[in-house]
Amino acid sequence: MAAVSSRRKAWLLAVGVLAVAVAANLGTPAVAGAALRGYLRSQLPGGGVEVTLQASPPVALWWGRAAMLTVVAHNVQLGTLGMERFDATFETLRFDPQALYLHRALVIRSLRRGSAHATVNQADLTRALARSPTIRVDSVVLQPGRVWVRGAVRALGAEFPAEGLGRLVLNGETAVDLVLDSVVVAGGSLPGSVTGEAITIRSAIVVPPLPFGFRVTAVRVEDGRLVLDAGTGPV
């Protein structure tokens, strides 16, 4: 009888340990994700933030190890540039668990690689370009590889209604140039006879510092959207 009781206690203990392990595996990503969302809301101000964490085993997140971290933020405002969406992926991430769970801060200790994509829609791009002192931008139409701009060119203290077809070109890591390969001015020509000639507007878009040390590596113009590609690591 005593042997049966001992076996039953051992069985109950094993079941209890297994239940705790399963609960930890299932609950840890949720706890870590909630802590990260709290931190990321301050780094990516705007709409909602979604976080996905992968670790094997999941309890490794408690001591600051993640195989992959994926972040998706919507309607982000960084500096003067609005972004429809900001996506980031971190591979083989090591972070300070105390900083995350106690202070809601992500302190990266090591990182194999990180990549990000910031998507800017036509409305946000129009507002960004409108800050240029060289041109007045009324509307922008984005098509794969090119941009249509309608507004006015400023010269000699006056504005000349114009529209142009051109490209967005990365200028270093913090700016994007607008190169208008073709410009048509309504009702005549611009001083200096630049009608039909290429016009380059330097730093037409100022790219604000991106979170997590990401650096812009390329720009892509898609249908209705500008995409800034960025990378970071290894750390």
Side-chain angles (χ1 to χ4, degrees):
M1 197 71 174
V4 173
S5 178
S6 297
R7 287 197 296 270
R8 179 176 177 79
K9 289 180 180 179
W11 167 252
L12 291 175
L13 178 61
V15 169
V17 170
L18 180 61
V20 171
V22 170
N25 282 336
L26 293 177
T28 298
V31 173
L36 276 170
R37 280 193 296 274
Y39 167 74
L40 291 170
R41 288 192 187 99
S42 65
Q43 301 298 307
L44 299 168
V49 179
E50 303 167 16
V51 175
T52 303
L53 283 158
Q54 296 178 17
S56 183
V59 291
L61 293 171
W62 283 114
W63 54 85
R65 303 180 66 177
M68 183 171 293
L69 165 63
T70 302
V71 176
V72 179
H74 303 275
N75 302 319
V76 176
Q77 184 70 39
L78 291 180
T80 58
L81 185 61
M83 301 175 183
E84 183 179 64
R85 181 182 171 110
F86 181 86
D87 302 77
T89 300
F90 302 86
E91 298 179 16
T92 314
L93 174 68
R94 302 290 182 267
F95 59 90
D96 184 340
Q98 181 176 350
L100 178 63
Y101 298 117
L102 296 183
H103 306 293
R104 293 294 192 268
L106 179 61
V107 178
I108 297 176
R109 289 176 169 171
S110 67
L111 173 67
R112 179 186 176 190
R113 180 174 56 193
S115 60
H117 309 284
T119 304
V120 181
N121 60 30
Q122 291 179 162
D124 285 328
L125 180 61
T126 300
R127 284 189 284 272
L129 290 173
R131 294 183 174 88
S132 171
T134 307
I135 58 174
R136 189 193 77 223
V137 178
D138 296 331
S139 64
V140 173
V141 177
L142 296 174
Q143 297 178 346
R146 60 182 182 176
V147 54
W148 290 88
V149 179
R150 178 172 294 176
V153 177
R154 297 186 176 105
L156 300 179
E159 288 189 348
F160 301 86
E163 60 181 32
L165 172 64
R167 300 163 284 129
L168 291 169
V169 180
L170 184 63
N171 180 359
E173 298 175 354
T174 60
V176 178
D177 294 344
L178 173 61
V179 180
L180 296 173
D181 299 307
S182 175
V183 179
V184 177
V185 178
S189 61
L190 288 172
S193 300
V194 299
T195 300
E197 299 179 10
I199 297 177
T200 299
I201 301 171
R202 302 291 183 187
S203 302
I205 302 172
V206 177
V207 180
L210 299 180
F212 317 116
F214 279 112
R215 296 181 176 181
V216 179
T217 57
V219 296
R220 293 180 286 121
V221 177
E222 299 180 349
D223 193 12
R225 288 170 175 80
L226 167 68
V227 181
L228 307 174
D229 295 328
T232 187
V235 176

